[in-house]
Amino acid sequence: MNGHMGVWQGTALLLGAVLGPGMLVLPHLAAAAAGPASVLAWAGMLALSVPVALTFAALGARYPGGGGVAAVVGLAFGRHAAAVTGWWFYGAVPIGTVAGALVGGQYVEACLGVDATVAACLILAAAFAANAAGLRTSGGLQIGFVALLVALLATAVITAAPHADPANFTPFAPYGPAGVAGAAGVLMFAFVGWEAASHLSAEFADRRGLLRATVVTLAVIGVLYAGVSVTSVAVLGADMSAVPLTDMLQLGLGPAARPVTGVVAVLLTFGAVNTYIAGAARLGAALAADGALPRWFARGGAPGRTPYRSLGLVLVLSVPVLVGAVDLDVLMRATSACLAAVTSAGVAAAVRMLPRGRHRTVAVVGTVMSLLGLAFCGVYLLVPAVLGAVALAALHVKPRRSYKIGL
């Protein structure tokens, strides 16, 4: 390898892939599904992350610069599997970006008094306009957004913790095991993104750097998620509002925290939405070049160019999602199902691609746990099922290049 990335820069990039603005609302959604027992769902998802993260790190070290999950799935299982995996991610973006914008909108409404839907529309419009103008969120700015989110979560936990009340944990499991499973389904939204390791490896100075960055990221994610999940319930109770971090910060720091949180939420959600729209536009062009979308959408997919046609398709797909968005929980669960399917396909491909030994054993464990997590998505598995059927129907011509679909 001839990369230059160090452990800490790699950790920041991996944190950016896993940690997103969904954390602003997920404590509320998980608690609504399971009550105080939502902490068990958080713990289960953290346990799932360990073998999955280590598997993608091992895969990236063995196949540096592999082109993303769909590329690895294509090498392991063939072109049709690659197209389906690409479509799972591509189809998740219009749903997930609208969900992300609505998260920001909810915080804007609670903190600044602007209607949530109006704020979400403005965030989406700004992100699409930025992409159309060729503006991208720089790597340094993305790292800044990640640092801001980490600081926000840590401050909320530290300042609110003294107000914890043990009585908020009773009754502990009002909805039983089904509630915990339901919470796990929506929490998948916060535990995907480890596949980024599979195409960051070429940037590291040595192979051990990727593994170290993955371990550090797991530790940071574990501390943050455990702190937020336990503290939010302990301080606010299971019937917390849709903007738990605002309530925690206001309780710990006073009323001045409220408008600041609203502004921070806008920055975080815009950064994430902008990045995902840019990635989806390029992925759409790659899918078209491989015959998984009409060839017409492949134009502009070369490095340094803007794939306006694919970008326009993402916009067209996002509009009905925004118009029909009546429940943020539904959008988050549908997105989680798609991204969980991508993760499951990736670790399953690793079982076939990695040599016999401890790395393959970890990949097997990761596959079993990913499939279990996928099962928690329940009826929302219909979304990736439909997207998979569309992908197979669209795959009607031979690709001009081999598995280069990038996630």
Side-chain angles (χ1 to χ4, degrees), residues 14-328:
L14 281 174
L15 274 172
V18 179
L19 187 64
M23 279 300 296
L24 298 176
V25 72
L26 283 171
H28 158 68
L29 296 178
S38 61
V39 296
L40 299 180
W42 284 96
M45 292 295 101
L46 283 170
L48 179 151
S49 288
V50 175
V52 169
L54 295 178
T55 294
F56 281 120
L59 197 60
R62 186 168 181 83
Y63 300 98
V69 177
V72 175
V73 171
L75 291 171
F77 303 120
R79 178 189 174 211
H80 289 76
V84 169
T85 305
W87 260 92
W88 283 339
F89 186 86
Y90 189 71
V93 170
I95 308 171
T97 53
V98 170
L102 287 172
V103 169
Q106 286 188 351
Y107 272 78
V108 169
E109 181 171 346
C111 300
L112 304 175
V114 180
D115 181 78
T117 303
V118 172
C121 289
L122 291 175
I123 291 171
L124 285 170
F128 276 107
N131 275 278
L135 301 178
R136 301 286 184 269
T137 306
S138 69
L141 190 57
Q142 279 299 103
I143 291 175
F145 282 144
V146 173
L148 185 61
L149 181 55
V150 170
L152 183 70
L153 296 174
T155 302
V157 170
I158 293 170
T159 60
H163 301 274
D165 182 357
N168 284 327
F169 284 96
T170 56
F172 183 68
Y175 308 112
V180 177
V186 74
L187 287 178
M188 287 295 295
F189 194 95
F191 290 90
V192 292
W194 294 109
E195 66 275 1
S198 66
H199 52 88
L200 282 178
S201 56
E203 303 298 325
F204 282 85
D206 63 77
R207 296 188 180 189
R208 290 173 296 179
L210 175 58
L211 179 59
R212 289 170 181 165
T214 300
V215 171
V216 173
T217 303
L218 279 168
V220 173
I221 289 291
V223 171
L224 278 177
Y225 284 11
V228 170
S229 62
V230 174
T231 305
S232 60
V233 174
V235 172
L236 303 175
D239 59 346
M240 67 185 74
S241 76
V243 288
L245 291 188
T246 294
D247 296 337
M248 290 168 67
L249 286 167
Q250 183 170 326
L251 193 61
L253 300 177
R258 203 166 190 86
V260 173
T261 308
V263 173
V264 170
V266 170
L267 293 175
L268 292 172
T269 51
F270 171 78
V273 169
N274 184 50
T275 299
Y276 270 96
I277 288 174
R282 296 217 161 272
L283 174 58
L287 288 169
D290 284 346
L293 271 175
R295 297 276 186 183
W296 189 80
F297 291 104
R299 185 172 180 177
R305 299 182 62 189
T306 300
Y308 289 107
R309 295 177 179 180
S310 179
L311 179 64
L313 180 58
V314 176
L315 174 60
V316 169
L317 293 174
S318 299
V319 170
V321 176
L322 181 61
V323 172
V326 294
D327 191 334
L328 179 59

